């Protein structure tokens, strides 16, 4: 049954890849670049191939700042993509950063600020998190931008709005103090949000907030819940090509 399901899923991705690409920008969501085989980890070899495929298709990698400028101008360029990483795991420094520097592509890392320099116990394995020194080196490159992802990474829909505000404000303040810059972008932990949570996030000074539903960013997109496409361990090359052309299937 699993084989049949996988075959059907792969066939749908391949067929959808033949359709014309919808106009807009595509935000890709990653977590880890490493050799582990858990669902949130993409191998360095696969990530390199994905970056090559993006370049082969003539897709321009842009920053969140450039996306915001496009939204403000009332036109989002087609064949543009954004690379985002959640949590701030240390393999973003050891495995991702060398690729970023080699290819000179911008990425955004949404940091769980309460875990900087610590070891995070996920449901799958223990993971070392980025240290402040590593984060400073990455930010100084001009290619990596750190933005808030809350202080403790709760499911925001399970805590009070007061706690939501504290989580966002604390994470935002930590990074603003660390880098002497204003943080205007945010990613919801687990993609969880409600209209009330979006309002609180906006009141905290966030101008663009990223969710986890699939799709392209257009001028009609809700700036407090921009679509983002998950790239996980089991995404095949055929599926990745389809995601670039038509967004992922859900």
């Amino acid at each position: 049954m699993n084989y049949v399901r996988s075959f059907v899923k792969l066939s749908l991705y391949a067929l959808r890849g033949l359709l014309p690409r919808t106009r807009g920008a595509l935000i890709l969501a990653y977590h880890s670049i490493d050799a582990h085989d858990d669902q949130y980890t993409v191998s360095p070899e696969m990530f390199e191939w994905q970056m090559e495929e993006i370049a082969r298709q003539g897709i321009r990698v842009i920053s969140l700042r450039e996306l915001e400028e496009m939204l403000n101008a009332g036109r989002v360029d087609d064949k543009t993509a954004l690379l985002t990483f959640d949590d701030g795991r240390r393999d973003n420094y050891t495995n991702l950063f060398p690729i970023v520097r080699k290819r000179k592509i911008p990425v955004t890392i949404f940091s769980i600020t309460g875990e900087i320099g610590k070891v995070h116990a996920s449901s799958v394995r223990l993971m070392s998190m980025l240290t402040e020194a590593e984060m400073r080196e990455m930010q100084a490159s001009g290619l990596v931008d750190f933005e808030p992802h809350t202080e403790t990474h709760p499911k925001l829909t399970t805590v009070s709005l007061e706690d939501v505000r504290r989580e966002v404000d604390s994470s935002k303040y930590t990074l603003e103090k660390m880098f002497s810059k204003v943080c205007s972008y945010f990613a919801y932990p687990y993609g969880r949000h409600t209209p009330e949570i979006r309002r609180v996030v906006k009141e905290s000074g966030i101008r663009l907030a990223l969710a986890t539903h699939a799709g392209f960013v257009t001028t009609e997109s809700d700036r407090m819940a921009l679509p983002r496409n998950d790239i996980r361990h089991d995404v095949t090359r055929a599926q990745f090509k389809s995601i670039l052309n038509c967004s992922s299937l859900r």
Side-chain angles (χ1 to χ4, degrees):
M1 182 61 71
N2 288 335
Y3 172 79
V4 173
R5 187 180 297 112
S6 297
F7 177 77
V8 170
K9 182 179 179 182
L10 179 59
S11 298
L12 288 172
Y13 269 103
L15 288 172
R16 192 166 184 180
L18 300 176
L19 299 174
R21 189 175 186 271
T22 304
R23 189 168 188 82
L26 188 72
I27 303 179
L28 305 180
Y30 294 88
H31 288 77
S32 287
I33 303 298
D34 209 342
H36 291 279
D37 61 358
D38 65 82
Q39 64 173 327
Y40 291 108
T41 301
V42 174
S43 72
E45 293 76 19
M46 176 58 84
F47 183 72
E48 283 268 28
W49 178 86
Q50 291 172 353
M51 297 304 101
E52 290 171 2
E53 181 62 23
I54 286 174
R56 189 190 70 78
Q57 292 198 22
I59 297 172
R60 184 165 61 93
V61 180
I62 64 173
S63 66
L64 274 169
R65 181 179 298 278
E66 188 169 355
L67 175 63
E68 184 182 18
E69 290 172 352
M70 289 180 182
L71 289 169
N72 291 341
R75 184 179 184 276
V76 177
D77 290 350
D78 192 20
K79 296 188 79 67
T80 53
L82 296 89
L83 307 177
T84 66
F85 288 77
D86 284 2
D87 301 343
R89 306 180 186 194
R90 190 166 186 272
D91 59 60
N92 290 181
Y93 177 78
T94 56
N95 299 328
L96 169 65
F97 192 36
I99 298 173
V100 166
R101 285 186 297 190
K102 179 179 71 174
R103 294 183 174 274
K104 294 181 171 53
I105 49 178
V107 302
T108 300
I109 297 177
F110 293 100
S111 173
I112 306 172
T113 52
E115 297 193 351
I116 294 172
K118 298 180 180 179
V119 175
H120 174 69
S122 74
S123 59
V124 179
R125 59 187 170 92
L126 295 177
M127 294 176 296
S128 297
M129 307 298 280
L130 288 166
T131 66
E132 182 174 337
E134 290 164 345
M135 292 170 66
R136 288 184 180 278
E137 180 183 347
M138 296 171 81
Q139 180 81 29
S141 72
L143 296 169
V144 182
D145 182 36
F146 285 94
E147 299 289 340
H149 193 41
T150 72
E151 181 181 0
T152 66
H153 204 256
K155 294 177 180 177
L156 296 180
T157 51
T158 67
V159 301
S160 68
L161 290 178
E162 181 181 339
D163 284 340
V164 171
R165 190 181 305 277
R166 182 190 60 77
E167 286 279 349
V168 177
D169 287 347
S170 175
S171 184
K172 187 173 185 290
Y173 173 77
T174 296
L175 295 176
E176 289 180 338
K177 183 179 179 181
M178 184 183 299
F179 298 119
S180 299
K181 73 181 184 78
V182 175
C183 291
S184 303
Y185 313 125
F186 177 77
Y188 299 104
Y190 310 100
R192 304 288 184 86
H193 58 89
T194 65
E196 293 75 22
I197 290 172
R198 295 196 296 272
R199 173 179 56 79
V200 169
V201 170
K202 187 173 183 178
E203 290 172 352
S204 295
I206 298 299
R207 298 197 300 268
L208 298 180
L210 281 58
T212 54
H213 60 282
F216 289 92
V217 178
T218 71
T219 55
E220 304 302 316
S221 298
D222 183 346
R223 296 194 187 198
M224 288 296 107
L226 293 178
R228 215 167 36 139
N229 301 262
D230 275 337
I231 307 298
R232 299 190 181 186
H233 179 76
D234 62 350
V235 171
T236 67
R237 295 188 177 195
Q239 290 169 348
F240 187 79
K241 290 180 180 181
S242 180
I243 289 170
L244 293 182
N245 281 279
C246 307
S247 175
S248 61
L249 299 175
R250 290 297 177 94

